[in-house]
């Protein structure tokens, strides 16, 4: 491999890590907040607000229903407004984040709903305030599931970032398209596939290890 090509691999790998890292951070923080709102405002929750809950649930479902490639195009005006351009990794971070927020919201909501209601009732009986119940009971008990969901989200984001590369976002997907597809350099295509497989496998094993470490029920 020539030094020039090696530099292109390194730059593309760095762009992919930047896209995935920033997008996942935004998506997980926002998705977890929305999931907590959905669980807390549901009937029987800590702050039951039926109308708010249904409205928020509909909004989340709308964004979940839109395929990423369509969302990416539909958000072009919003992306230009936020980052001033529709090309490059920062332009890709906007649709990537929005796409994954809805996905992680539902994943986190499932984990939060699986917390034993007996523990919440016990915390109530001991005089815990509602925020303290969220902070000291619900989040710690749901943590293994939340980390498992984060692992799934990171892998989904790696796949979506490769797709964003096809429309000028840079990263490994862009390199695969420009060299592997447009220039028929199949070796580049297969090397990028191997890199993506190693990256996804590392994330999966790392997420499973971390989830086991924080699971006190084992």
């Amino acid at each position: 491999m020539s030094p020039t090509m090696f530099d292109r691999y390194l730059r593309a790998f760095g762009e992919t890590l930047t896209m995935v890292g920033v997008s996942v951070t935004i998506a997980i923080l926002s998705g977890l907040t929305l999931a907590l709102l959905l669980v807390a405002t549901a009937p029987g929750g800590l702050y039951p607000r039926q109308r708010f809950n249904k409205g928020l649930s509909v909004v989340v479902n709308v964004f979940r229903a839109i395929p990423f490639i369509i969302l990416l195009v539909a958000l072009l005006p919003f992306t230009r407004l936020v980052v001033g351009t529709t090309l490059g990794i920062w332009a890709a971070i906007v649709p990537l984040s929005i796409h994954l927020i809805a996905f992680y919201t539902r994943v986190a909501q499932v984990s939060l709903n699986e917390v034993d209601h007996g523990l919440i009732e016990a915390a109530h009986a001991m005089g815990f305030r509602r925020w303290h119940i969220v902070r000291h009971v619900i989040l710690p008990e749901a943590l293994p599931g939340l980390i498992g969901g984060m692992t799934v989200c990171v892998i989904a984001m790696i796949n979506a970032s490769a797709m964003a590369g096809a429309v000028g976002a840079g990263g490994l997907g862009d390199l695969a398209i420009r060299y592997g597809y447009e220039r028929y350099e199949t070796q580049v295509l297969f090397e990028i596939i191997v890199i993506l497989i190693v990256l996804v496998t590392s994330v999966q094993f790392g997420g499973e290890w971390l989830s086991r470490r924080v699971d006190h029920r084992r």
Side-chain angles (χ1 to χ4, degrees), residues 11-88:
R11 186 168 62 250
F13 188 70
E15 289 172 348
T16 294
L17 289 185
T18 302
M19 277 192 286
V20 172
V22 175
S23 302
V24 162
T25 301
I26 295 171
I28 287 177
L29 291 177
S30 303
L32 182 57
T33 302
L34 293 175
L36 284 169
L37 282 173
L38 284 169
V39 171
T41 58
L46 296 174
Y47 300 89
R49 299 286 187 278
Q50 191 171 1
R51 288 185 180 177
F52 176 84
N53 184 273
K54 284 188 176 179
L56 182 58
S57 183
V58 168
V59 171
V60 172
N61 284 341
V62 167
F63 281 96
R64 278 192 67 199
I66 304 174
F68 172 68
I69 195 69
I70 296 175
L71 184 68
L72 187 149
V73 175
L75 287 175
L76 285 178
F78 179 72
T79 300
R80 185 182 289 109
L81 179 68
V82 173
V83 297
T85 180
T86 57
L87 294 175

Side-chain angles (χ1 to χ4, degrees), residues 14-192:
E15 289 172 348
T16 294
L17 289 185
T18 302
M19 277 192 286
V20 172
V22 175
S23 302
V24 162
T25 301
I26 295 171
I28 287 177
L29 291 177
S30 303
L32 182 57
T33 302
L34 293 175
L36 284 169
L37 282 173
L38 284 169
V39 171
T41 58
L46 296 174
Y47 300 89
R49 299 286 187 278
Q50 191 171 1
R51 288 185 180 177
F52 176 84
N53 184 273
K54 284 188 176 179
L56 182 58
S57 183
V58 168
V59 171
V60 172
N61 284 341
V62 167
F63 281 96
R64 278 192 67 199
I66 304 174
F68 172 68
I69 195 69
I70 296 175
L71 184 68
L72 187 149
V73 175
L75 287 175
L76 285 178
F78 179 72
T79 300
R80 185 182 289 109
L81 179 68
V82 173
V83 297
T85 180
T86 57
L87 294 175
I89 60 173
W90 293 105
I93 286 171
V94 175
L96 282 170
S97 302
I98 293 175
H99 172 67
L100 204 63
I101 285 173
F103 178 70
Y104 186 67
T105 297
R106 290 305 187 193
V107 172
Q109 186 184 4
V110 171
S111 298
L112 295 171
N113 279 331
E114 288 179 348
V115 174
D116 187 354
H117 280 271
L119 293 175
I120 298 174
E121 292 299 326
H124 262 304
M126 287 188 289
F128 277 46
R129 294 183 176 181
R130 288 180 287 192
W131 166 243
H132 288 161
I133 293 175
V134 173
R135 171 73 175 77
H136 298 291
V137 178
I138 296 178
L139 285 177
E141 288 295 318
L143 192 56
L146 294 175
I147 291 176
M150 290 177 193
T151 305
V152 174
C153 287
V154 173
I155 292 172
M157 187 63 79
I158 292 171
N159 293 334
S161 72
M163 196 186 308
V167 291
L172 292 170
D174 178 54
L175 195 64
I177 293 294
R178 285 193 291 116
Y179 287 85
Y181 178 69
E182 295 176 354
R183 300 186 185 186
Y184 302 105
E185 296 184 23
T186 53
Q187 183 181 346
V188 174
L189 188 64
F190 285 116
E191 286 173 351
I192 289 176

